[in-house]
Amino acid sequence: MLPQLYNAFLACQGISTDTRQITPGCLFVALRGDTFNGNEFALTALAEGARYALIDDPAVADQALAADRDRCLLVPDALTAMQDLARHHRRQFTFPVIGLTGSNGKTTTKELMAAVLARKYRVEATVGNLNNHIGVPLTLLRIDPANTQMAVIEMGANHQREIAMLSRICEPTHGLITNIGKAHLEGFGGVEGVRKGKGELFDYLAETGGTVFVNQQDATLRAMVAERQFREVIPYWTDGQYAIEQEAPVVIFEDATTDFAAKPRVVTHLPGLYNFANMAAALAVGAYFDVPQTEALQAVADYNPTNNRSQRITKGTNTVWLDAYNANPSSMAAAVQQFGQQKAKRRAVILGDMYELGDESEAEHAALGELVAAQHFDLVILSGHDMKYALPALPKAYYFPDKFSLHNWIADNPMQDTHILIKGSRGMKLETVVPFI
């Protein structure tokens, strides 16, 4: 069945799982979810221009017009068929496929890595954060092997065995784990579960003779590498390979004033020392694949995020640091501590709940409150159900359990000459706060 499916896929122009995004000649995949059944829209997809519809409900084919029945590709399970199709398509690639995962920074690292490699190669990379059991297959199936020289595939997970499954689909030849942190603790069963789950990428690369890139300043990652046998391990460092700001190892940021003529000076659009690890990873991969250093550094300098991650926005006399795509205890601590060192006339933080922490949520939000208190910000605003646990350490903070009251208060209390950090989990959607500032 797979060869026939693949021939049908090759006859298509693109792939879609949403009838609102049908393009002429595409393959429509009828996925199922808790609240939807893509089979119900398959015939609509065909009518709107899809060449084939991959379905798992025989009734759909029975309902199709005679002319459309051959365009209904019936399989036992549409998602599994799409994953198998993606794996088969990936096996047609003869170029390197770099797999990427980690608790924090993986999307920014992926974007930087793709930008660096694009200075020398034709690169395809995960769009946005399509990094799960649906997004990874879709990413692979959108790659044209004839016009690609390198692929960067981001893999996300919130429970064990998920990275193992994704690795078996995208079959990376090279891999990198950004870090191991307190993310998705509920699904992984604690930090050790995160370590094991993210380590499934290393397991795959060790088993298949792949290459791994390892941050030598991360003791956890070094230990994980030492536990396995790899064909090739490429170390990289985060202690001043390219430039330093004051005494800290970092590619120089926009607010840096120190200039060291002996080393390349790189002004970037990314705030925070924590972003240097992301840059160092991208530069290490670029160096391994012989991207000229000057080109790689320029790619890092040119990268300007627009995806609610490390995004700087000017609002009147205020500067907003929008990092609202996601949050967990590790990334929140890094952002808050870095922002605490920000030189500004007035500093404010707007922080939302950290999701998927399970039984650890109360303790982690309380610990965050202690951390925020130590920074002595001029204004602290908290929002979300679990942020109430941070309040004992922050008696002067403003707390809003819902977004409606949060928006109203910010609109009624305009800020001036203030640097503002906005950070929370994706479900909080704190980017909606920006128009009210």
Side-chain angles (χ1 to χ4, degrees):
M1 182 67 177
L2 185 57
Q4 291 87 344
L5 280 180
Y6 191 61
N7 285 336
F9 164 74
L10 292 178
C12 294
Q13 302 294 321
I15 184 168
S16 177
T17 61
D18 189 338
T19 51
R20 295 168 297 183
Q21 299 174 357
I22 296 296
T23 55
C26 73
L27 170 66
F28 173 75
V29 181
L31 299 179
R32 297 174 184 263
D34 294 335
T35 60
F36 66 91
N37 181 353
N39 289 278
E40 297 174 359
F41 306 98
L43 298 183
T44 299
L46 292 176
E48 293 182 356
R51 182 157 188 169
Y52 291 103
L54 186 62
I55 61 173
D56 53 21
D57 183 352
V60 174
D62 293 339
Q63 294 166 7
L65 298 174
D68 290 339
R69 284 174 189 164
D70 289 342
R71 298 164 63 199
C72 294
L73 307 176
L74 181 62
V75 294
D77 183 274
L79 174 60
T80 300
M82 183 178 74
Q83 293 171 340
D84 291 343
L85 198 61
R87 182 185 300 107
H88 184 76
H89 184 57
R90 182 265 172 269
R91 289 176 178 173
Q92 315 311 308
F93 304 171
T94 58
F95 47 80
V97 175
I98 305 169
L100 173 73
T101 192
S103 295
N104 303 311
K106 55 184 174 290
T107 298
T108 298
T109 301
K110 177 261 300 181
E111 297 284 339
L112 288 165
M113 194 183 299
V116 167
L117 292 171
R119 294 286 171 145
K120 183 174 181 178
Y121 303 96
R122 295 190 299 276
V123 179
E124 291 290 345
T126 302
V127 176
N129 73 321
L130 291 174
N131 59 16
N132 64 4
H133 62 296
I134 296 172
V136 168
L138 285 173
T139 296
L140 293 168
L141 290 169
R142 287 169 178 155
I143 294 175
D144 179 0
N147 294 305
T148 306
Q149 296 174 306
M150 196 88 65
V152 182
I153 309 297
E154 178 183 337
M155 294 182 284
N158 57 20
H159 58 268
Q160 293 181 37
R161 304 306 303 163
E162 193 168 3
I163 295 297
M165 180 266 290
L166 296 176
S167 295
R168 296 291 173 188
I169 294 174
C170 75
E171 298 185 347
T173 56
H174 301 71
L176 186 146
I177 298 176
T178 57
N179 47 54
I180 303 297
K182 294 180 178 180
H184 306 295
L185 297 181
E186 185 175 23
F188 279 113
V191 175
E192 270 306 306
V194 176
R195 185 183 192 274
K196 182 177 180 181
K198 300 298 184 180
E200 290 163 7
L201 174 59
F202 279 178
D203 292 339
Y204 177 85
L205 291 165
E207 175 188 332
T208 58
T211 296
V212 295
F213 300 88
V214 184
N215 179 359
Q216 292 299 295
Q217 264 64 51
D218 191 315
T220 300
L221 294 178
R222 290 202 317 271
M224 291 171 67
V225 169
E227 293 164 2
R228 301 163 173 85
Q229 294 293 322
F230 294 98
R231 181 186 66 82
E232 185 178 36
V233 177
I234 306 299
Y236 64 93
W237 290 263
T238 58
D239 59 351
Q241 282 178 288
Y242 300 98
I244 56 175
E245 175 188 1
Q246 299 173 352
E247 298 301 321
V250 59
V251 173
I252 294 181
F253 299 110
E254 287 186 339
D255 59 350
T257 57
T258 307
D259 192 2
F260 291 80
K263 293 185 177 182
R265 185 173 191 275
V266 182
V267 178
T268 82
H269 297 279
L270 290 169
L273 293 175
Y274 54 88
N275 266 312
F276 179 60
N278 304 332
M279 299 179 202
L283 292 168
V285 172
Y288 177 83
F289 287 107
D290 298 319
V291 177
Q293 187 189 68
T294 54
E295 291 289 325
L297 291 171
Q298 191 61 52
V300 168
D302 289 345
Y303 175 67
N304 194 358
T306 57
N307 52 8
N308 298 331
R309 291 178 172 91
S310 298
Q311 188 174 347
R312 192 174 75 167
I313 302 169
T314 300
K315 293 283 291 184
T317 61
N318 300 314
T319 298
V320 176
W321 300 99
L322 181 62
D323 196 4
Y325 194 86
N326 219 335
N328 57 57
S330 301
S331 67
M332 189 72 91
V336 166
Q337 289 174 318
Q338 178 62 37
F339 191 68
Q341 300 172 24
Q342 181 74 44
K343 295 178 180 179
K345 183 176 180 180
R346 189 168 182 264
R347 297 173 302 159
V349 292
I350 303 173
L351 306 178
D353 278 356
M354 301 177 288
Y355 287 9
E356 297 185 50
L357 296 180
D359 294 339
E360 300 297 319
S361 188
E362 180 175 349
E364 291 294 348
H365 283 86
L368 176 63
E370 297 282 353
L371 181 64
V372 172
Q375 308 305 313
H376 305 292
F377 295 122
D378 298 287
L379 175 64
V380 176
I381 302 172
L382 307 176
S383 181
H385 179 271
D386 286 4
M387 270 298 171
K388 64 177 180 285
Y389 300 123
L391 288 174
L394 298 163
K396 295 183 179 180
Y398 293 87
Y399 171 64
F400 304 95
D402 62 88
K403 293 265 291 296
F404 179 76
S405 54
L406 170 65
H407 291 167
N408 284 340
W409 189 90
I410 293 174
D412 292 341
N413 296 271
M415 290 176 253
Q416 299 290 331
D417 301 314
T418 304
H419 280 235
I420 307 159
L421 170 66
I422 302 176
K423 189 167 180 64
S425 280
R426 179 83 301 264
M428 290 297 299
K429 298 182 180 178
L430 284 184
E431 66 274 11
T432 61
V433 170
V434 176
F436 295 91
I437 293 175

